[in-house]
Amino acid sequence: YSNFIDDLRVYVRGGTGGMGYPNLGGEGGRGGDVWFVARERTTLKSIRQKYPQKRFVAGTGANSSVKALKGEKGKDREVHVPLGISVLDDDGKQIGELNAAGERFLAARGGLGGSLATNFLPCKGQRRTVHLDLKLIADVGLVGFPNAGKSSLLSKISHAKPEIANYAFTTIQPELGKIMYADYKQISVADLPGLIEGAHANKGMGHKFLKHVERTKQLLLVVDISGFQLSIKTQFRTAFETILLLTKELELYKEELTTKPALLAINKMDLPCAKDNLDELMTQLQNPQDFFHLLEEEIIPENTLEFREVIPISTYTGEGIEELKTCLRKSIDEQAEQVNEEYRKKKLLLLQTSK
């Protein structure tokens, strides 16, 4: 994954409480708390560079004294984390998540100050090791096998400048780009490392890739019209088989992924025979079940993806790129309208029941 970090293990400890004052029944201040706060333009890499020890400890509560019977609370420790973070305990159980700027999560609570209940002795703060697990948040996630042209597509439709080369694993870290429209609307697009067969079982980039798909609103499958072969040792797959295999990998990792709205970009339409291959593929996509008997059982998904649009493109000549941008905008707008409509219906229902 080179320089990109999407998992970080950190130690957090709440502050110890302050001493009580037995003679006058004074209470020590509570220890400070450790908070994770979501902030834009923050990365896990920057946290690791800034805090190489990866230890975050809050301040100690003030002792009770004759001058101040109630000791002051210790200073809280705030740690800025990126949006899209899941907080996991050491057993891998999710204990919190931060998706929007300003959201806060209490990572470690400070200890109580000394008081009559504790025989005026202070308590230690909560301490634990937690994992910060990042899942990229994007409007659209590009899904495709290596060399399908995802990086080239991202550079054509957005301002991102991913590395592009003609070998199987071009992208080894996620790239995020933004499509800018004339009315200043922006759509974020994530190009994620190429899937291979068996990714659901953590082969290749496996789960490192698939977990990032979870947070995208829509999927854009990018498929090479001439088919795909990872190496001479692996089987050649036609464009139709590639679509089924991608669907199967998503389904085996997490079934809900196949219910996301999806579009299909058929790339490399500048190649010879591309037109004939496209006609054949469109026939297969109209009634996929009619062709299942010709394929191996293990590549057939339980449910096929319903594509909102199928757009033939060429990242080499620029064919279909503008149409694709328009289709993405339309699909994202329709989804937003649908979400708003559902929200309005819920509000109306709540009003009616409260009356």
Side-chain angles (χ1 to χ4, degrees), residues 83-216:
L83 277 58
I85 283 287
S86 295
V87 186
L88 313 174
D89 64 17
D90 243 357
D91 299 325
K93 184 186 167 199
Q94 185 172 316
I95 51 176
E97 61 178 4
L98 299 153
N99 294 321
E103 281 187 358
R104 299 163 67 84
F105 172 76
L106 180 59
R109 192 179 290 280
L112 293 171
S115 64
L116 186 63
T118 64
N119 204 19
F120 298 100
L121 294 173
C123 300
K124 287 184 176 179
Q126 185 183 11
R127 60 182 72 197
R128 57 182 170 184
T129 303
V130 295
H131 291 262
L132 300 177
D133 188 42
L134 175 68
K135 292 176 186 172
L136 285 180
I137 298 175
D139 295 315
V140 180
L142 300 184
V143 178
F145 283 137
N147 250 14
K150 301 193 309 302
S151 299
S152 304
L153 178 59
L154 187 70
S155 68
K156 285 275 183 192
I157 62 176
S158 76
H159 294 279
K161 292 181 174 59
E163 254 181 67
I164 299 162
N166 189 29
Y167 52 89
F169 282 101
T170 311
T171 308
I172 55 168
Q173 64 183 55
E175 289 276 356
L176 211 55
K178 275 191 164 52
I179 307 175
M180 313 282 281
Y181 292 90
D183 62 352
Y184 304 107
K185 164 88 175 178
Q186 295 181 18
I187 289 177
S188 56
V189 182
D191 169 24
L192 306 158
L195 274 171
I196 60 168
E197 287 182 51
H200 70 275
N202 216 8
K203 282 187 188 172
M205 293 290 177
H207 293 176
K208 275 185 178 290
F209 160 82
L210 286 161
K211 73 172 186 180
H212 292 300
V213 183
E214 290 180 54
R215 294 270 174 103
T216 56

Side-chain angles (χ1 to χ4, degrees), residues 304-320:
T304 50
L305 281 170
E306 295 287 326
F307 296 111
R308 291 187 168 198
E309 300 278 356
V310 178
I311 310 106
I313 63 164
S314 167
T315 53
Y316 181 70
T317 64
E319 176 196 338

Side-chain angles (χ1 to χ4, degrees), residues 65-343:
S65 65
V66 176
K67 289 181 181 177
L69 287 179
K70 176 71 176 167
E72 276 190 26
K73 184 178 182 288
K75 193 176 179 185
D76 286 350
R77 183 73 190 270
E78 288 194 353
V79 185
H80 295 134
V81 299
L83 277 58
I85 283 287
S86 295
V87 186
L88 313 174
D89 64 17
D90 243 357
D91 299 325
K93 184 186 167 199
Q94 185 172 316
I95 51 176
E97 61 178 4
L98 299 153
N99 294 321
E103 281 187 358
R104 299 163 67 84
F105 172 76
L106 180 59
R109 192 179 290 280
L112 293 171
S115 64
L116 186 63
T118 64
N119 204 19
F120 298 100
L121 294 173
C123 300
K124 287 184 176 179
Q126 185 183 11
R127 60 182 72 197
R128 57 182 170 184
T129 303
V130 295
H131 291 262
L132 300 177
D133 188 42
L134 175 68
K135 292 176 186 172
L136 285 180
I137 298 175
D139 295 315
V140 180
L142 300 184
V143 178
F145 283 137
N147 250 14
K150 301 193 309 302
S151 299
S152 304
L153 178 59
L154 187 70
S155 68
K156 285 275 183 192
I157 62 176
S158 76
H159 294 279
K161 292 181 174 59
E163 254 181 67
I164 299 162
N166 189 29
Y167 52 89
F169 282 101
T170 311
T171 308
I172 55 168
Q173 64 183 55
E175 289 276 356
L176 211 55
K178 275 191 164 52
I179 307 175
M180 313 282 281
Y181 292 90
D183 62 352
Y184 304 107
K185 164 88 175 178
Q186 295 181 18
I187 289 177
S188 56
V189 182
D191 169 24
L192 306 158
L195 274 171
I196 60 168
E197 287 182 51
H200 70 275
N202 216 8
K203 282 187 188 172
M205 293 290 177
H207 293 176
K208 275 185 178 290
F209 160 82
L210 286 161
K211 73 172 186 180
H212 292 300
V213 183
E214 290 180 54
R215 294 270 174 103
T216 56
K217 292 177 188 170
Q218 300 198 1
L219 306 178
L220 174 61
L221 269 67
V222 185
V223 171
D224 185 336
I225 189 60
S226 57
F228 170 71
Q229 188 172 17
L230 185 65
S231 71
I232 50 170
K233 293 178 184 174
T234 58
Q235 200 172 334
F236 173 79
R237 300 295 189 188
T238 64
F240 179 59
E241 287 175 322
T242 303
I243 293 164
L244 293 179
L245 270 166
L246 289 169
T247 309
K248 183 80 172 173
E249 289 301 334
L250 294 172
E251 185 179 79
L252 288 170
Y253 175 71
K254 201 165 269 189
E255 215 170 319
E256 306 94 87
L257 293 181
T258 57
T259 62
K260 283 181 184 283
L263 292 89
L264 175 63
I266 311 290
N267 194 19
K268 306 194 183 177
M269 287 303 295
D270 52 284
L271 296 175
C273 305
K275 184 76 177 71
D276 295 340
N277 289 345
L278 180 64
D279 292 341
E280 186 186 345
L281 178 61
M282 294 307 283
T283 307
Q284 290 167 324
L285 287 174
Q286 276 168 3
N287 293 297
Q289 288 80 1
D290 295 353
F291 300 90
F292 285 176
H293 66 281
L294 303 169
L295 308 170
E296 307 128 78
E297 205 173 308
E298 60 266 23
I299 76 164
I300 300 167
E302 292 287 321
N303 301 294
T304 50
L305 281 170
E306 295 287 326
F307 296 111
R308 291 187 168 198
E309 300 278 356
V310 178
I311 310 106
I313 63 164
S314 167
T315 53
Y316 181 70
T317 64
E319 176 196 338
I321 298 295
E322 286 306 313
E323 188 195 343
L324 176 61
K325 285 164 77 170
T326 305
C327 289
L328 284 171
R329 169 72 186 266
K330 182 173 167 238
S331 188
I332 289 286
D333 286 350
E334 281 174 1
Q335 188 183 9
E337 186 51 45
Q338 197 179 333
V339 170
N340 287 341
E341 188 57 39
E342 284 169 12
Y343 177 75

